[in-house]
Amino acid sequence: MKVLILSTFQSSGGAAIAAARLMHALQQNGVEVSMLCRKNIAFGSAALRKQSWTSIFERAYIWMCNGFSTKNLWATDIAVFGQDITHTREYREADVIHLHWVNQGFISLSSIQKMLDDGKKVVWTMHDAWNSMGAYHLKILQKHDYLERTTYERKQKLYAGARIQFVTCSQWLMNEALKSTLMADQKVTAIPNPLDIGIFAPQPHPNRRKVLFVAQNVNNEMKGMRYLDEAARIINADASRKVEIIALGRDIPYISDIHEMARLYASVDAFVLPSLSENLPNTIMEAMACGTPCVGFRVGGIPEEIDHLENGYLANYKDSEDLAKGILYVLDEQNHQRLAENARQKIINCYSEKAVAERYIDIYTNEQ
């Protein structure tokens, strides 16, 4: 059995990281797997190692349909334009085509229909709600406009009678997807992203009351940085409980080396992700594997990772005061060691490479 993983990006963003980690997990468990990406590619043919013009065409079309407005320009995808990968050796030899986040001009809906017509088994891991909606990736941003309606209709046509195995990274996203009429007759399974618990592991460090926040784009309002700022002000108003906030992202100093990132997770006393919408964030998983308790809002798939008061703290949605309370809770010396040990054990039990790979192998080999 040969598996081909498709992902728009190689390492930019949580979905791409999850796809690359799954490839490694499958390889470690005896599966012959390859990967193709639209850009930043380290896998596949040189023809794909360039910025795709299909992405530019698609953005231009969305821009025009939105009245030449850039608002939500990157929050929508229509999958009209795409690259032809069917000529590649990886595609021809593959028994299973495993789609991940393949938007922004990489794989079109018509290309997926071609895969089905070729008799390929198609598995599609959902990293957001786009598969179960029209053009939008997040329900919180969704508008019932022309692009949303027409993309929905094209997906409806593709899904009708198709044998696509959908996978969500969280139970929450699976439940949300199944509410959509698009997914009513589709097979959907929840399987979390895998993590190398050898790389992401605890390391001894002094308690310095350091708190870490990581996001691809910290200025993206959906990542909730302003709530963390407010929580920090609440905490630091009392000098006796002062904390240091470390923020990392693509738009500010960022660590690309995975081993250095693991050391950073292990060196802080708490990880905070105040996102307003999340599936199953890799960052929380990584921090917990390093024995670092986490704090986040009770939203999306975050409650599947953080067990309230057991390995971290779930704050009330958009509540900066409760977020501050949660940070102080995990920093408390009487709680910290127990939370840290529980966090590490949760990752070992639920998100190890072996456990996740075995579940995907079962999907690849089972007939629908």
Side-chain angles (χ1 to χ4, degrees), residues 217-235:
N217 180 1
V218 298
N219 292 318
N220 181 348
E221 64 180 22
M222 298 303 296
K223 294 301 178 182
M225 182 66 177
R226 76 179 185 91
Y227 296 97
L228 179 56
D229 285 339
E230 291 171 3
R233 283 196 294 271
I234 293 169
I235 294 170

Side-chain angles (χ1 to χ4, degrees), residues 187-260:
K187 189 172 182 180
V188 187
T189 303
I191 302 177
N193 299 324
L195 188 68
D196 188 330
I197 58 176
I199 294 175
F200 292 94
Q203 300 177 33
H205 75 280
N207 187 324
R208 294 175 178 169
R209 296 179 68 80
K210 290 185 177 182
V211 174
L212 177 65
F213 166 73
V214 177
Q216 183 181 10
N217 180 1
V218 298
N219 292 318
N220 181 348
E221 64 180 22
M222 298 303 296
K223 294 301 178 182
M225 182 66 177
R226 76 179 185 91
Y227 296 97
L228 179 56
D229 285 339
E230 291 171 3
R233 283 196 294 271
I234 293 169
I235 294 170
N236 291 333
D238 182 344
S240 66
R241 60 185 193 185
K242 193 174 181 64
V243 300
E244 178 185 348
I245 306 292
I246 302 171
L248 293 178
R250 185 177 60 188
D251 40 1
I252 56 178
Y254 186 72
I255 296 174
S256 58
D257 181 79
I258 190 172
H259 295 88
E260 189 177 348

Side-chain angles (χ1 to χ4, degrees), residues 95-126:
D95 303 295
V96 178
I97 306 298
H98 190 158
L99 306 167
H100 280 260
W101 201 92
V102 290
N103 299 113
Q104 293 186 16
F106 183 34
I107 303 296
S108 67
L109 295 180
S110 59
S111 293
I112 297 171
Q113 183 62 62
K114 175 68 164 55
M115 296 171 191
L116 294 166
D117 292 343
D118 286 344
K120 302 290 187 181
K121 179 160 188 175
V122 176
V123 177
W124 199 344
T125 294
M126 300 170 56

